[in-house]
């Protein structure tokens, strides 16, 4: 059976959920071989084996943390040369897309980014994408070279599928470009204790109607009652009420949770682009004419300052 | 010698218009008004700010696209860029990101550059891979997705705000930079800028000017094949209630019914 390379996104050996989802998708087109790089690479093996990796190629070197992107491209290229895979799958993060793009170019291959589903096809893997603010769904495949595909979080369920997960050291020689962009400082983001926005099963977002940074506590309280991530519209981010890393929309994150709750968000096309593929959509807005209501499964026309606290209390009471 | 900055820009269908696909499954560009991709305005803005900080930088904007893509160049010129290059050729229709990066890289090399500045992604394709592809093709460092950028003494520095961390980056020129919408509000063209833009040079190049064969680009040269494109079915109308004091409770009941609570 053909092997499929899966690039592992991990933090010091802790594998992030989108990589486990990739292993599920990889099994549809072949046998997953994982590539884990950098500090703690070897520690990923148990989790990867549990989810279907037949082999885990690892390489630890300080270059992965000290320089941007290119060392990882060098390593993936070495892995492709060692394995001759049927496809390479990479999580669709900002960095993942850059790694995948440069790898595709080196391999003389095509690239598909932001796939939301993947299936085996007669002429190679077929990727589903959601385009034009999620108003169209396309199915595409790569017509030249080794398919390189990046997949968005929440595109598949994580499934346990124990496999050998044999660890092998990958041999990597870095290119001249590898040390071109130095990382001269790194400030880790403070953990909020909430799930990561793009990975969360539930997202609660606030927009212009939240009317001030101090009121985002209401949104956070609702999110916490549901174990949800917090999102914000561009208007709220531009106003400085919430960090850019939480922005949902065309120029921020695109999310696809089981449940999306929009509070005080009108639903401009740029915002819809980032949340329209959510399974269930709920909105709370004073303006009955707000375009967000065209998308909802359930909408409340009302003041979020009344509705959100009442909802939060109800959820807390139900969970108590 | 003054710093040569090349800014890549794209003419995109207006996102508020009714975007769809043409029969050949390429983006239909005839039916919807186009404009300079909003995210590229940030690239032009940062180039202008860097030029203001430096003595005598020259800013060239380059685009690949049909005749009306000149509108995107005019907008960038009216913001303050010095000159423009329009790569136009019938054989370019349907080119994917890999092919686009080839055309842009050749045009950038022909124009001459010390620094390439791009937006973080186009607002139509939204792949966000062209800056990395350009760096790979040009063989220069990529300093991408920056919310802050500056150039001094042949070095570009910037801050990249990722999910897990903020990183400070540094590279020697020449380099490719991309900037996010957090890099600083883009200026509006002044009346003077709009008038001045009309007199600024717009050079037109075709594939032969860049030594690119037709089969390397376009639909034929594309590395990906779109098999089908279907309009997403409109969501069925949901339940809408008016809050008359019980809105939060009603919503909680809905969520409980859906097993979210």
């Amino acid at each position: 059976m053909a092997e499929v390379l899966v690039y592992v996104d991990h933090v010091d050996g802790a594998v992030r959920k989108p990589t486990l989802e990739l292993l599920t998708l990889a099994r549809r087109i072949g046998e997953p071989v994982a590539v884990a790089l950098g500090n703690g690479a070897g520690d990923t093996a148990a989790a990867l084996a549990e989810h279907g990796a037949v082999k885990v190629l690892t390489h630890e070197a300080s270059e992965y943390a000290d320089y941007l992107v290119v060392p990882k491209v060098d390593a993936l290229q070495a892995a492709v040369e060692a394995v001759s895979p049927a496809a390479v799958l990479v999580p669709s993060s900002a960095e993942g897309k850059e790694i995948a793009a440069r790898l595709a170019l080196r391999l003389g291959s095509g690239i598909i980014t932001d796939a939301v589903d993947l299936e085996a096809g007669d002429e190679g893997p077929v990727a589903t994408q959601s385009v034009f603010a999620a108003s169209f769904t396309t199915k595409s495949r790569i017509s030249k070279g080794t398919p390189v595909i990046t997949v968005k979080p929440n595109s598949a369920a994580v499934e346990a599928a124990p496999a050998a997960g044999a660890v092998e050291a990958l041999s990597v020689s870095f290119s001249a470009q590898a040390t071109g962009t130095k990382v001269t400082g790194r400030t880790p983001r403070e953990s909020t204790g909430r799930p990561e926005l793009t990975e969360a099963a539930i997202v609660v977002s606030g927009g212009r109607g939240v009317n001030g940074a101090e009121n985002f506590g209401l949104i956070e309280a609702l999110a916490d009652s549901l174990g949800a991530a917090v999102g914000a519209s561009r208007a709220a981010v531009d106003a400085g009420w919430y960090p850019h890393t939480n922005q949902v929309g065309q120029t921020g994150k695109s999310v696809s949770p089981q449940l999306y709750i929009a509070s005080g968000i009108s639903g401009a096309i740029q915002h819809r682009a980032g949340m329209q593929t959510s399974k269930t959509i709920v909105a709370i807005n004073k303006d009955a004419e707000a375009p967000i209501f065209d998308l909802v499964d359930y909408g409340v026309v009302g003041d979020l300052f009344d509705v959100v606290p009442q909802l939060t209390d109800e959820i807390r009471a139900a969970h108590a | 010698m003054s710093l040569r900055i090349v800014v890549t820009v794209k003419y995109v269908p207006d996102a508020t218009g009714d975007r769809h696909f043409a029969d050949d499954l390429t983006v239909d560009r005839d039916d919807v008004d186009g404009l300079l991709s909003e995210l590229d305005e940030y690239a032009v803005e940062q180039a202008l700010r860097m030029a203001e900080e430096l003595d005598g930088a020259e800013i060239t904007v380059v685009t690949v696209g049909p005749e009306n893509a000149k509108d995107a160049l005019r907008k960038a010129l009216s913001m303050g860029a010095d000159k423009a290059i329009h790569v136009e050729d019938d054989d370019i229709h349907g080119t994917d990101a890999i092919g686009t990066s080839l055309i842009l890289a050749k045009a950038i090399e022909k124009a001459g550059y010390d620094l390439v500045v791009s937006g973080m992604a186009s607002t139509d394709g939204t792949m966000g891979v062209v800056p990395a592809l350009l760096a790979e093709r040009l063989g220069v460092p990529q300093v991408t997705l920056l919310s802050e950028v500056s150039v001094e003494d042949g070095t570009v520095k910037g801050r990249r705000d990722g999910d897990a961390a903020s990183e400070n980056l540094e590279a020697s020129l020449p380099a490719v930079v991309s900037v996010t919408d957090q890099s600083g509000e883009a200026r509006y063209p002044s009346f003077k800028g709009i008038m001045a833009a009309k007199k600024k040079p717009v050079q037109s190049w075709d594939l032969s000017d860049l030594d690119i064969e037709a089969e390397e680009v376009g639909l034929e040269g594309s590395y990906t094949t779109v098999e089908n494109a279907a309009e997403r079915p409109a969501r069925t109308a949901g339940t809408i209630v008016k809050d008359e004091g019980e809105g939060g409770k009603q919503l909680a009941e809905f969520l409980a019914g859906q097993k979210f609570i």
Side-chain angles (χ1 to χ4, degrees), chain A residues 102 134 139 141 184 234, chain B residues 42 136 168 225 227 232 248:
Chain A
R102 297 185 73 139
K139 284 190 189 288
R141 63 183 173 79
T184 57
R234 181 161 177 187
Chain B
Y42 294 92
E136 180 73 31
N168 296 314
T225 305
E227 296 196 327
R232 195 182 167 84

Side-chain angles (χ1 to χ4, degrees), chain A residues 33-215:
Chain A
V33 173
V35 182
L37 306 172
N39 186 40
D43 301 337
T44 61
L48 297 169
E50 181 63 26
H51 294 89
V54 296
K55 212 187 290 177
V56 182
L57 306 177
T58 63
H59 188 244
E60 294 200 23
S62 58
E63 278 84 350
Y64 298 117
D66 294 347
Y67 301 95
L68 194 71
V69 174
V70 185
K72 293 168 181 166
V73 181
D74 290 341
L76 264 186
Q77 187 180 10
V80 169
E81 282 161 10
V83 171
S84 302
V88 182
L89 307 183
V90 181
S92 228
S93 61
E95 188 187 42
K97 291 202 277 186
E98 293 186 333
I99 293 169
R102 297 185 73 139
L103 178 72
L105 195 54
R106 288 188 189 184
L107 300 177
S109 300
I111 176 172
I112 288 173
T113 59
D114 295 324
V116 296
D117 201 5
L118 206 58
E119 61 209 331
D122 295 340
E123 295 170 278
V126 177
T128 304
Q129 289 164 290
S130 185
V131 302
F132 293 162
S135 58
F136 276 82
T137 301
T138 61
K139 284 190 189 288
S140 307
R141 63 183 173 79
I142 285 160
S143 42
K144 292 182 192 171
T146 306
V148 179
I149 300 171
T150 79
V151 181
K152 280 170 84 159
N154 283 330
S155 295
V158 172
E159 289 168 8
V167 178
E168 273 181 34
L170 179 67
S171 170
V172 181
S173 51
F174 291 118
S175 64
Q177 278 78 40
T179 53
T181 310
K182 272 188 223 129
V183 180
T184 57
R186 180 176 283 122
T187 314
R189 202 160 295 292
E190 257 179 66
S191 170
T192 59
R194 297 190 181 95
E196 212 278 311
L197 186 57
T198 54
E199 298 172 17
I202 302 178
V203 174
V204 177
S205 285
R208 197 187 299 275
V210 176
N211 202 24
E214 65 282 7
N215 301 329

